[in-house]
Structure formats: structure tokens, C-alpha cells
């Protein structure tokens, strides 16, 4: 019997590609070329499944041009690169990698929040430039993190993991806003309190964005929201760049209407808005929230588990462990 053909669209751990080769005819991408839409369409001809990352956009037109594709497996928890409705309409399964990256991503979010709040990148640039000649009482003076109010917008797994770090490690008061309230059993150990978005913006000393990106959450924080925040507050974004209006953010930071920002994600990344690059009070990282070796490995293994199960192999044959659109299974 012919084995299904699959595409691994970006370079990933060789052992994960080898695991897939035990089940499939695999076309991989050891050069790590980022395929154009045309190249991706061409590479997907005859393929039953695709192992993709956030750099591959999957929509209805692409699926129509690649009718054999039955499953797309994202090596990411966010899946705004996949048009889920278009997948479901064509009976194409879509999967992501939830759970395995929660703690690692929360670590990065917390680190970035602290780096922004305590002006660490700014201090390092100052030191490396040879400008540190003496101590002074107000050098790099900054807001405290411990004991302050942590605001979390988007209280899913990663939001809760950040809340735990803030409440249990740093004695922070935790406020959050989410479409739905957490169960009291989850709120209680953190003393986390659901508030409306306006209250969150007004009261947070350190606001962290961890909500999924979609048309509904585009520019969730724009000029009007920034205007409600305290001038001493920080904003950290580890969700997706499009959650924030970056021009409005840069303006607020430039005008001292917000103390600092920590950004791991950018609208149009890897391009970074020059207005942000020009500012001292922004800590910037290149979308590395989940980038620990163990976590990236776990994400790749989970994406492979999904692909193997979706195409009818392995112990979970037929039902991928993190299927986003179970309706396609009927
Ligand atoms: C990373 O941004 C992810 O969604 O996993």
C-alpha cells in the first residue's frame, strides 16, 4: 500500500522528521526556506498532510489548490495563520500545540515584563556604551514589580501561569479580564479578580497581553486603551503583534504616557516597527516565548503526534490529540 505523503514545511528536529518517516513519505525542508504561497502550493501537491509553523498561511484558496490535504498541523499554540472555518468547510483537520509550552512562555512573558519595568535592556546598552561613570540616586529609577498590580488580558493557560508567578512569587495583586471568568477554584489560590477591561487598563501597574489574535482582537490595545493606563505602567505583549496598535504604543511611550513596554511579537514580524526600535523604553525579543529546547521539542513531537493520528496511524489513529475543529470528524 502506498504510504501517505506529507510536507514538513520548515526545518525541525531531525529526530521528529525521522519519526514521521516511519509512517509517511516525507518531504522536509532542511534548507529552512520560507516558502512563498506559490511554492507552498506546489510542495503540497499530492500531500495528505502538512506540518507547519506560524510562517505558513493556510486559507481556503490554498486548500482548494491542494485538494488532497486532509490535515494541517501547526507547531504553535496560536493558529491565526490558519483559517479554521475554511479548513472545516473542506473537511480538513487543523491542530495546534497547547499545554506543552505554557510554563516556558509564561517564563518569557514574566522576564520581559521585568526587563521592561526595571529598564534592563536600557541599562545594558548604557553600560556597554561606556557611559556608566558613577552611581547616582536616580539612575535608571523604575517602578517596582513585587507588590504591584499585575493585569492580565486573556486568562487562558499562559495567562494563569503568569498570574501564578506574580501572585505566588512576587506578591502581586492579580486582576484579569477574559471573555469568561475562571472557576472560583482557579481564582482563589491566586486571589485573582475578574474586572472589566476598562478597570484592568486603569488599575494595572504591569499589563500583560496573552489573548489569542483574531479579527475580533485586532488592536485590542490602541490609543483609547493606552490613554486609560497609568503613565507609570508597563505593557507586555507575548500574544501576537496585531493585538496592539504599535504606532499608538510608540507615541504613548515617546510622550511618557506609559513607562515602558516589553514586546516578543510584532505586527508584520520579523519586520519591527521603526518607531519602536527608536525608543529606549522598550524591551524587544524576536518571538521566542516558547523557545526552550525541551519545549520546542515537545511542540514538534505534539505536532507529529497530531499528524500521525490524523492520517490514521499510531495509537490515537483518527483523532489527533489537539484537534481544533472536531466537527470535521462528524
Ligand atoms: C507561539 O507564538 C505560539 O503560538 O506557539
Amino acid at each position: 500500500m502506498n504510504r501517505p505523503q506529507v510536507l514538513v514545511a520548515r526545518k525541525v528536529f531531525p529526530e521528529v522528521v525521522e519519526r514521521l518517516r516511519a509512517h509517511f513519505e516525507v518531504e522536509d525542508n532542511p534548507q529552512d526556506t520560507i516558502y512563498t504561497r506559490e511554492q507552498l502550493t506546489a510542495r503540497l501537491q499530492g500531500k495528505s498532510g502538512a506540518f507547519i509553523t506560524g510562517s505558513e498561511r493556510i486559507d481556503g484558496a490554498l486548500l482548494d489548490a491542494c485538494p488532497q490535504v486532509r490535515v494541517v498541523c501547526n507547531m504553535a499554540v496560536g493558529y491565526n495563520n490558519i483559517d479554521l472555518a475554511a479548513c472545516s468547510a473542506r473537511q480538513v483537520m487543523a491542530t495546534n500545540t497547547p499545554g506543552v509550552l505554557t510554563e516556558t512562555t509564561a517564563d518569557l512573558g514574566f522576564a520581559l515584563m521585568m526587563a521592561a519595568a526595571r529598564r534592563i535592556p536600557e541599562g545594558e546598552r548604557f553600560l556597554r556604551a561606556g557611559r556608566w561613570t558613577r552611581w547616582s540616586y536616580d539612575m535608571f529609577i523604575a517602578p517596582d514589580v513585587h507588590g504591584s498590580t499585575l493585569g492580565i488580558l486573556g486568562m487562558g493557560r499562559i495567562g494563569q501561569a503568569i498570574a501564578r508567578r506574580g501572585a505566588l512569587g512576587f506578591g502581586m495583586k492579580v486582576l484579569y479580564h477574559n471573555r469568561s471568568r475562571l472557576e472560583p477554584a482557579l481564582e482563589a489560590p491566586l486571589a485573582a479578580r475578574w474586572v472589566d477591561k476598562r478597570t484592568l487598563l486603569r488599575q494595572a501597574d504591569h499589563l500583560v497581553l496573552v489573548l489569542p489574535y483574531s479579527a475580533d482582537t485586532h488592536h485590542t490595545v490602541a490609543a483609547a486603551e493606552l490613554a486609560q493606563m497609568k503613565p507609570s505602567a508597563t505593557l507586555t505583549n507575548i500574544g501576537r503583534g496585531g493585538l496592539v496598535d504599535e504606532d499608538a504604543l510608540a507615541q504613548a511611550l515617546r510622550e511618557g504616557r506609559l513607562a515602558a513596554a516589553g514586546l516578543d511579537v510584532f505586527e508584520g514580524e520579523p519586520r519591527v516597527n521603526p518607531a519602536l526600535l527608536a525608543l529606549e523604553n522598550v524591551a524587544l525579543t524576536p518571538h521566542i516565548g516558547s523557545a526552550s529546547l525541551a519545549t520546542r521539542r515537545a511542540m514538534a513531537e505534539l505536532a507529529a503526534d497530531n499528524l500521525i493520528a490524523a492520517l490514521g496511524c499510531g495509537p490515537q489513529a483518527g483523532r489527533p490529540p489537539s484537534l481544533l475543529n472536531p466537527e470535521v470528524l462528524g
Side-chain angles (χ1 to χ4, degrees):
M1 202 179 84
N2 284 345
R3 300 193 314 161
Q5 295 180 41
V6 299
L7 177 71
V8 178
R10 293 291 307 276
K11 185 174 180 179
V12 287
F13 297 95
E15 59 274 26
V16 175
V17 177
E18 282 317 303
R19 202 179 135 216
L20 292 173
R21 287 195 202 284
H23 301 276
F24 308 119
E25 296 301 323
V26 178
E27 176 178 336
D28 63 344
N29 180 2
Q31 304 302 323
D32 208 22
T33 305
I34 299 191
Y35 296 136
T36 62
R37 197 176 163 77
E38 291 68 32
Q39 288 170 326
L40 184 61
T41 307
R43 302 268 171 190
L44 280 172
Q45 295 310 304
K47 305 291 192 304
S48 304
F51 181 122
I52 59 167
T53 69
S55 46
E56 288 71 50
R57 163 115 200 112
I58 306 292
D59 58 22
L62 182 115
L63 293 172
D64 288 341
C66 311
Q68 297 90 344
V69 171
R70 290 169 44 209
V71 60
V72 288
C73 300
N74 216 23
M75 184 182 148
V77 67
Y79 51 90
N80 53 298
N81 56 316
I82 300 177
D83 180 340
L84 200 56
C87 288
S88 299
R90 292 162 182 78
Q91 297 294 303
V92 172
M93 289 176 266
T95 69
N96 67 341
T97 56
V100 292
L101 46 62
T102 302
E103 299 299 331
T104 299
T105 307
D107 284 349
L108 190 279
F110 213 86
L112 205 46
M113 177 191 83
M114 293 196 72
R118 296 301 307 271
R119 307 174 61 180
I120 292 173
E122 194 183 342
E124 190 187 354
R125 283 192 295 274
F126 174 85
L127 180 154
R128 285 181 186 272
R131 292 165 55 204
W132 183 26
T133 53
R134 58 186 182 159
W135 179 93
S136 59
Y137 81 98
D138 59 352
M139 189 169 77
F140 291 103
I141 216 139
D144 265 322
V145 172
H146 75 275
S148 65
T149 298
L150 173 62
I152 301 182
L153 192 52
M155 196 64 155
R157 293 182 185 85
I158 300 171
Q160 290 171 49
I162 291 172
R164 277 197 301 279
R165 283 158 176 73
L168 308 179
F170 288 77
M172 297 173 90
K173 172 176 161 188
V174 177
L175 302 180
Y176 73 95
H177 181 73
N178 202 41
R179 267 176 315 184
S180 47
R181 278 190 65 154
L182 293 181
E183 294 295 317
L186 290 174
E187 277 186 354
L190 308 173
R193 194 157 64 83
W194 185 95
V195 290
D196 59 37
K197 186 174 166 191
R198 183 181 155 84
T199 305
L200 186 78
L201 291 165
R202 293 166 78 99
Q203 294 193 4
D205 292 314
H206 303 288
L207 180 66
V208 184
L209 308 187
V210 219
L211 63 172
Y213 179 65
S214 68
D216 293 340
T217 58
H218 179 71
H219 289 188
T220 279
V221 175
E225 287 75 20
L226 291 163
Q228 296 176 55
M229 294 180 67
K230 300 179 189 181
S232 56
T234 72
L235 171 72
T236 296
N237 185 9
I238 56 165
R240 287 291 181 269
L243 295 170
V244 176
D245 177 340
E246 292 173 347
D247 288 326
L249 175 63
Q251 194 174 348
L253 289 163
R254 207 169 30 242
E255 294 174 359
R257 289 186 284 108
L258 191 69
L263 305 173
D264 185 47
V265 287
F266 305 89
E267 206 165 11
E269 64 188 45
R271 193 194 71 91
V272 177
N273 188 324
L276 292 171
L277 291 173
L279 290 166
E280 285 290 346
N281 50 346
V282 195
L284 304 164
T285 48
H287 201 151
I288 53 171
S290 61
S292 76
L293 179 60
T295 292
R296 283 284 162 85
R297 207 185 286 276
M299 292 165 70
E301 294 289 0
L302 180 51
D305 291 345
N306 280 312
L307 189 54
I308 291 167
L311 295 178
C313 325
Q316 287 167 299
R319 178 167 279 274
S322 34
L323 182 59
L324 290 164
N325 52 352
E327 64 274 17
V328 303
L329 295 181

